[in-house]
Amino acid sequence: MACLLETPIRMSVLSEVTASSRHYVDRLFDPDPQKVLQGVIDMKNAVIGNNKQKANLIVLGAVPRLLYLLQQETSSTELKTECAVVLGSLAMGTENNVKSLLDCHIIPALLQGLLSPDLKFIEACLRCLRTIFTSPVTPEELLYTDATVIPHLMALLSRSRYTQEYICQIFSHCCKGPDHQTILFNHGAVQNIAHLLTSVSYKVRMQALKCFSVLAFENPQVSMTLVNVLVDGELLPQIFVKMLQRDKPIEMQLTSAKCLTYMCRAGAIRTDDNCIVLKLDHDLKHAHELRQAAFKLYASLGANDEDIRKKIIETENMMDRIVTGLSESSVKVRLAAVRCLHSLSRSVQQLRTSFQDHAVWKPLMKVLQNAPDEILVVASSMLCNLLLEFSPSKEPILESGAVELLCGLTQSENPALRVNGIWALMNMAFQAEQKIKADILRSLSTEQLFRLLSDSDLNVLMKTLGLLRNLLSTRPHIDKIMSTHGKQIMQAVTLILEGEHNIEVKEQGLANFLQRARQTLCILANIADGTTAKELIMTNDDILQKIKYYMGHSHVKLQLAAMFCISNLIWNEEEGSQERQDKLRDMGIVDILHKLSQSPDSNLCDKAKMALQQYLA
């Protein structure tokens, strides 16, 4: 069978993941405290960035045991700290994860941990609390249930920059309305947080600023107090004005503008005050800057969160405003609008709905016709998303001449444009009709394709290999392409697979080579799936020897990819299989298969046994 880029060889199965997860939980009950500590540390490393592993551990009951260990007086401080870190990592998963943690009463346990004298443990507890309280599924009232919590958090503000950052972030997310504002204000939030605006840490300054924006929102009492607060000899409004300067990050400018606006609305600052007149005027230049800042902010907010992307797009007239921004006279506004759309285009649902409803592809294609490189890079990156197989915009984009445009980008001197050009072509070729694949090969030209395969930029090379892999899918397509371009493709394959023996590899790193080799072997596996194309492999002894070499490689992924090639070559149901089997047996392939059938890697072992069955059938 053919192997497409979007369906890589999978090495793990559910049973293996579950068994591994069970092992982690079982170690938490070991009678040896040191083994328990090591088990928690190993669990911490296993769950980082792995939502499936996090969900498995929660289902298997890891959370109650971690909370038990965290609260036990006999647990070492190091163990307690590591437990808090793991719980924080679990909370960074899905909303269901957070709900499970809340059901286990994690918040009281972590708040109790804040009474510890150990700073690292306190910071770990606060970090976890920050993650939980910033989740939309956590009720803010849980912070105010115990009247001793807020004053204790205020006292912890002075302990370190991490306690300052996390506590301010908790306050800014849990201050929802006048009751919360009053509680925080009465416990000295303004005085305790004000000096943090001059912290050396940007994160601390930013979180403190956000605290003031939520405290001052529609609250005259807080706003009137802020006007007279001194920090290092400067009044707070003056500090907010400094944070509005153009050399400051956009997020800081916007948040400080919020603070000043809320104070102005509350009557704490006059509307004719210089800081309002000079910094929030509405001339054309400033309007451009505000639109640019707004688009950048929306792009940042929607970058990694599907719910936020949905809220942005559902805001009345928002998509129309962003699309209009693509034709603004200001290059900076156009760039920010493209970045915003690029961020929103990460949503599968929005690609299928809102992006199609507003025909976003039309103004985007206009932007791509004539724009500076900085806009082209972002716009072409967004086009990669619009050309994904499930996107309804794919067909009209193809009809508008996208193939020629993208092939032109692959010739750019800018590596980022070359990457995006070939990446978009790779997406375009995924499960495409033969005509589209032919158009890509014709427009790109064989010469340019092989120039890209020798590109000095690794990303360009890898996406070009991905394009080849997607072009060489579906048997009739494989045979057609290999009948016209087979010689050159086999030359390119040979060149890449020889790379491990090149001195250049030592300079670039083995990992880069392994990526290239695996992708190339997958291309060979696709060629081996062709009806007539597989003969190009069988008649090339050099390639066959390389496949044999990679079957015995030290990296399992390369062995699996080479095995995929062999399986496609010896499949019994295909004409000429007996002759191919005989030739490969004479090369020693069967001996290698017997050896691999004893491999400790279950996936590799199964593939080898399956291949041996073809010889026995």
Side-chain angles (χ1 to χ4, degrees):
M1 64 179 71
C3 178
L4 298 179
L5 182 60
E6 273 70 6
T7 54
I9 298 171
R10 299 180 183 273
M11 293 184 57
S12 60
V13 292
L14 183 59
S15 61
E16 290 174 340
V17 174
T18 305
S20 172
S21 302
R22 169 61 66 187
H23 173 65
Y24 286 119
V25 177
D26 290 343
R27 292 171 70 186
L28 299 181
F29 293 87
D30 196 289
D32 185 341
Q34 280 304 119
K35 289 183 179 179
V36 174
L37 174 60
Q38 189 57 51
V40 175
I41 292 172
D42 291 342
M43 182 182 289
K44 174 182 68 176
N45 296 331
V47 298
I48 293 174
N50 190 333
N51 278 347
K52 182 179 286 187
Q53 186 73 282
K54 291 176 184 180
N56 282 338
L57 290 170
I58 290 173
V59 169
L60 291 170
V63 175
R65 183 60 180 174
L66 288 168
L67 287 173
Y68 173 82
L69 295 171
L70 182 140
Q71 297 176 85
Q72 281 300 295
E73 290 184 7
T74 55
S75 296
S76 68
T77 304
E78 184 180 5
L79 175 58
K80 291 180 180 180
T81 303
E82 292 294 343
C83 287
V85 171
V86 174
L87 289 165
S89 186
L90 295 177
M92 288 182 183
T94 64
E95 290 183 1
N96 285 334
N97 289 8
V98 178
K99 289 177 182 176
S100 299
L101 293 170
L102 291 172
D103 290 341
C104 293
H105 308 291
I106 188 174
I107 290 180
L110 292 171
L111 291 174
Q112 185 68 27
L114 298 182
L115 300 175
S116 166
D118 186 86
L119 180 57
K120 284 191 176 180
F121 179 46
I122 291 173
E123 289 174 347
C125 289
L126 282 172
R127 191 182 306 115
C128 186
L129 283 166
R130 180 272 310 269
T131 304
I132 291 171
F133 274 118
T134 55
S135 170
V137 302
T138 305
E140 297 84 11
E141 289 301 328
L142 292 176
L143 184 66
Y144 304 95
T145 305
D146 185 339
T148 65
V149 170
I150 299 299
H152 186 62
L153 290 174
M154 292 294 178
L156 289 175
L157 275 169
S158 61
R159 293 296 300 274
S160 74
R161 70 181 182 91
Y162 294 111
T163 63
Q164 293 165 352
E165 177 191 340
Y166 303 147
I167 291 171
C168 284
Q169 199 167 357
I170 291 170
F171 285 163
S172 62
H173 276 272
C174 294
C175 186
K176 306 289 185 185
D179 291 343
H180 297 163
Q181 289 172 326
T182 300
I183 292 171
L184 293 173
F185 179 80
N186 288 343
H187 282 96
V190 173
Q191 293 74 20
N192 284 306
I193 296 173
H195 73 279
L196 302 183
L197 291 171
T198 58
S199 169
V200 294
S201 166
Y202 171 77
K203 289 183 178 180
V204 172
R205 294 199 306 276
M206 198 60 236
Q207 294 304 329
L209 188 59
K210 287 180 179 179
C211 272
F212 282 122
S213 72
V214 297
L215 285 169
F217 179 66
E218 296 183 351
N219 194 309
Q221 181 187 21
V222 174
S223 296
M224 291 295 185
T225 303
L226 294 181
V227 171
N228 299 310
V229 173
L230 280 170
V231 179
D232 294 343
E234 273 191 302
L235 290 170
L236 269 188
Q238 294 173 321
I239 293 176
F240 292 152
V241 169
K242 284 186 175 180
M243 289 179 164
L244 274 172
Q245 292 173 357
R246 292 169 191 164
D247 62 336
K248 298 294 187 294
I250 294 298
E251 184 185 30
M252 179 174 282
Q253 292 183 51
L254 289 175
T255 311
S256 55
K258 279 184 184 180
C259 293
L260 288 167
T261 302
Y262 297 155
M263 292 167 71
C264 183
R265 288 176 183 172
I269 299 177
R270 298 195 324 273
T271 54
D272 61 350
D273 190 288
N274 281 343
C275 71
I276 298 297
V277 174
L278 296 178
K279 294 295 180 182
L280 301 172
D281 60 356
H282 295 285
D283 61 24
L284 182 61
K285 183 177 180 182
H286 194 67
H288 282 161
E289 289 176 350
L290 287 177
R291 278 199 289 275
Q292 178 192 355
F295 288 147
K296 282 185 175 181
L297 179 59
Y298 284 126
S300 179
L301 288 172
N304 299 304
D305 192 295
E306 178 65 17
D307 290 335
I308 292 177
R309 284 193 286 264
K310 189 172 183 291
K311 288 176 183 176
I312 292 172
I313 287 175
E314 288 177 350
T315 302
E316 187 177 0
N317 299 323
M318 179 57 69
M319 283 297 288
D320 291 330
R321 292 190 185 114
I322 301 173
V323 171
T324 302
L326 297 178
S327 57
E328 280 275 4
S329 58
S330 166
V331 173
K332 290 183 177 180
V333 174
R334 291 206 309 274
L335 176 59
V338 174
R339 280 180 175 157
C340 187
L341 280 173
H342 180 230
S343 177
L344 299 176
S345 74
R346 293 190 173 105
S347 166
V348 173
Q349 181 184 358
Q350 303 309 330
L351 282 175
R352 286 175 168 164
T353 55
S354 301
F355 275 64
Q356 181 67 4
D357 295 341
H358 291 83
V360 171
W361 66 271
K362 289 183 180 179
L364 182 69
M365 291 299 288
K366 288 182 180 178
V367 168
L368 285 163
Q369 299 298 329
N370 185 22
D373 274 10
E374 58 181 343
I375 291 181
L376 276 178
V377 168
V378 184
S380 57
S381 185
M382 178 184 163
L383 192 61
C384 293
N385 293 343
L386 292 178
L387 285 169
L388 289 166
E389 186 261 339
F390 52 77
S391 170
S393 302
K394 182 174 181 177
E395 187 174 340
I397 289 173
L398 284 168
E399 293 172 355
S400 69
V403 174
E404 290 78 9
L405 186 150
L406 294 170
C407 289
L409 290 183
T410 68
Q411 300 180 37
S412 170
E413 293 183 3
N414 187 328
L417 287 177
R418 295 202 302 277
V419 169
N420 288 347
I422 203 69
W423 194 339
L425 290 170
M426 181 188 81
N427 289 349
M428 188 185 291
F430 179 71
Q431 294 185 351
E433 298 174 358
Q434 173 64 37
K435 181 183 180 302
I436 294 172
K437 293 181 179 180
D439 287 346
I440 292 172
L441 281 169
R442 183 176 59 254
S443 298
L444 190 61
S445 81
T446 306
E447 293 75 16
Q448 176 60 10
L449 181 65
F450 295 112
R451 273 196 290 270
L452 294 169
L453 285 172
S454 59
D455 199 290
S456 58
D457 188 291
L458 178 65
N459 289 325
V460 174
L461 169 59
M462 292 303 299
K463 296 306 176 192
T464 307
L465 290 173
L467 169 62
L468 265 179
R469 189 169 163 184
N470 284 352
L471 288 171
L472 293 165
S473 62
T474 310
R475 282 185 179 176
H477 298 181
I478 294 169
D479 292 331
K480 177 69 175 175
I481 291 171
M482 293 305 292
S483 68
T484 53
H485 303 284
K487 182 180 178 181
Q488 298 95 322
I489 290 175
M490 296 304 286
Q491 287 175 346
V493 165
T494 304
L495 183 65
I496 292 170
L497 291 180
E498 285 178 344
E500 187 182 28
H501 308 294
N502 194 315
I503 298 175
E504 181 186 5
V505 169
K506 295 178 182 177
E507 298 171 357
Q508 292 183 345
L510 181 60
N512 290 348
F513 168 75
L514 292 175
Q515 282 184 277
R516 301 198 301 269
R518 180 172 178 271
Q519 191 79 300
T520 307
L521 286 168
C522 288
I523 290 170
L524 273 179
N526 285 9
I527 295 170
D529 190 46
T531 302
T532 58
K534 56 167 50 78
E535 289 307 311
L536 287 166
I537 297 177
M538 292 305 302
T539 56
N540 190 323
D541 290 342
D542 192 23
I543 287 291
L544 289 175
Q545 288 297 332
K546 284 178 171 52
I547 294 173
K548 177 182 176 182
Y549 165 75
Y550 284 105
M551 288 178 72
H553 202 278
S554 58
H555 289 264
V556 174
K557 287 185 178 181
L558 294 184
Q559 289 179 287
L560 282 167
M563 184 71 73
F564 207 164
C565 298
I566 293 298
S567 297
N568 283 347
L569 291 173
I570 65 175
W571 200 253
N572 265 324
E573 298 175 4
E574 296 174 5
E575 185 179 349
S577 61
Q578 188 61 55
E579 291 79 3
R580 291 191 292 274
Q581 287 183 10
D582 292 342
K583 181 171 182 177
L584 292 171
R585 180 189 285 110
D586 293 341
M587 287 178 57
I589 295 296
V590 175
D591 294 334
I592 298 176
L593 289 175
H594 279 294
K595 183 178 178 181
L596 293 179
S597 67
Q598 306 300 316
S599 170
D601 183 89
S602 60
N603 205 1
L604 187 58
C605 174
D606 291 343
K607 288 285 189 297
K609 288 178 179 178
M610 190 181 298
L612 285 170
Q613 287 174 3
Q614 296 300 309
Y615 274 94
L616 299 173

